[in-house]
Amino acid sequence: MTPNSITGSSTAPAVVVSVSPVVLPAPGRPVDLQVRVTAPATGHDLPLLLMSHGQGPSNNLSSLHGYLPLVQHFAARGFVVVQPTHLSSATLKGHPGLRDHPEAPLFWRERALDMTRILDALAKLEAAVPQIAGRIDHGKVAVVGHSMGGHTASLLLGARFNHPSTGETVDVRDLRIITGALLAAPGRGGEALSATAARHYPFLLTTDFSTMTAPALVVAGDNDPSPHLTVLGSPWHTDPYRLAPAPKTLLTVYGAEHMLGGISGFDAAETSDENPARVEAVARLTGGYLRTQLIPGDPAWREAQDALLSSAEPAGQVVTK
């Protein structure tokens, strides 16, 4: 079986290469856009996966340096993964060009625009990283985001909100992105937000999932109450599934907290529910879903669900609408 084919857990993953930092042109952006590219060492017509990091207390995981438990898995099973360092990254804290930016501290629109910049610069990216030159299928693009990155992914897939200052509708949907996965993403706004979130993150107040029409997988832990963001507890993270139109799929991960077992980094201190088996299940199911969405007929999603159902202690439950 070729390296750009999803395989079952019994098959050894492909060798992976990773290159960073790669600087892409970003006119008007306060800081150069730096990305990491991770890909299987061989194979062609590879789907492209854009990975949006979340926030968190670590100094480096919220950047191109994070999420290796997921990135390594995805790349080893046939994806070219591109990870930007968003302007909200702790690695850029204190940069003078960001202090007075109107979107600080989370840079809600700039995060989504980073992904559009990457797609606009794919030819330059391939020229800068010869290991992937001519190997990407530009018509097969997915986005994955965790936490605040999940919000970024939702916008790229069609969700909207009202600008907190002007009231204008913010629409940054990129039609080149076919599908995506939202991991522990924020839910609806309004009365669902905590007072702290409403005060500090007013862009979350008007989130509208009704326009998020692209097929997507929503991954939520059933022990992720996020009291700093919501008064609704863990079910809030399922809103992108419940409030967006079909087709959507929800993976509820049993016992999982916000880091879903440790997806942001190997042995990350910020992980409160360290569980390598849980991380592997999230990676397998997320990658399998995206693979089959991008390549109809690929068995990856069916195989991932079969593995979930056949486990003596299933990591979670999948429902679809």
Side-chain angles (χ1 to χ4, degrees):
M1 186 164 291
T2 59
N4 59 324
S5 298
I6 279 283
T7 62
S9 59
S10 61
T11 305
V15 174
V16 165
V17 295
S18 188
V19 180
S20 69
V22 181
V23 180
L24 295 179
R29 194 177 190 265
V31 182
D32 288 337
L33 176 58
Q34 294 192 0
V35 305
R36 174 189 293 269
V37 178
T38 306
T42 59
H44 295 277
D45 300 320
L46 304 174
L48 178 67
L49 192 157
L50 306 176
M51 182 83 199
S52 181
H53 64 73
Q55 299 307 116
S58 66
N59 290 321
N60 291 284
L61 293 182
S62 294
S63 75
L64 59 79
H65 301 297
Y67 294 88
L68 290 185
L70 294 184
V71 171
Q72 293 282 101
H73 181 101
F74 296 151
R77 288 156 180 83
F79 290 92
V80 174
V81 185
V82 181
Q83 299 171 260
T85 294
H86 294 304
L87 293 179
S88 60
S89 173
T91 62
L92 300 177
K93 193 177 298 181
H95 191 285
L98 304 179
R99 290 172 185 165
D100 299 320
H101 195 289
E103 293 181 14
L106 294 183
F107 299 93
W108 32 268
R109 181 160 29 199
E110 281 290 331
R111 286 171 141 269
L113 292 179
D114 283 344
M115 301 312 202
T116 292
R117 290 180 179 112
I118 291 169
L119 294 179
D120 289 344
L122 274 182
K124 292 183 174 66
L125 185 66
E126 292 190 59
V129 185
Q131 294 90 337
I132 62 168
R135 300 175 57 212
I136 299 174
D137 186 334
H138 292 202
K140 294 182 171 64
V141 182
V143 62
V144 175
H146 172 242
S147 193
M148 183 59 193
H151 180 266
T152 302
S154 74
L155 296 182
L156 290 163
L157 295 172
R160 299 176 182 175
F161 65 94
N162 297 333
H163 192 291
S165 298
T166 67
E168 68 172 326
T169 299
V170 176
D171 179 3
V172 291
R173 171 80 168 103
D174 194 315
L175 294 175
R176 292 171 293 185
I177 301 174
I178 296 173
T179 185
L182 284 58
L183 314 181
R188 68 185 185 273
E191 78 290 345
L193 293 189
S194 68
T196 298
R199 183 169 62 255
H200 292 291
Y201 313 125
F203 63 90
L204 290 176
L205 282 167
T206 54
T207 301
D208 180 7
F209 293 113
S210 69
T211 53
M212 193 175 79
T213 55
L217 173 69
V218 176
V219 180
D222 66 4
N223 191 24
D224 182 12
S226 302
H228 61 301
L229 293 176
T230 183
V231 298
L232 298 182
S234 300
W236 183 64
H237 294 288
T238 69
D239 281 353
Y241 169 78
R242 296 189 306 102
L243 302 179
K248 296 293 181 293
T249 298
L250 173 65
L251 167 62
T252 301
V253 186
Y254 298 148
E257 300 178 19
H258 198 61
M259 292 301 168
L260 300 172
I263 63 172
S264 67
F266 293 110
D267 299 321
E270 64 196 58
T271 300
S272 55
D273 64 329
E274 189 75 32
N275 189 318
R278 181 175 296 152
V279 173
E280 174 64 22
V282 169
R284 182 188 301 119
L285 287 156
T286 302
Y289 174 87
L290 296 175
R291 180 82 185 188
T292 299
Q293 285 293 323
L294 294 172
I295 308 173
D298 189 285
W301 179 228
R302 175 180 52 77
E303 291 174 356
Q305 291 184 89
D306 288 347
L308 178 72
L309 293 173
S310 65
S311 173
E313 296 184 9
Q317 179 184 29
V318 171
V319 295
T320 299
K321 67 176 185 179

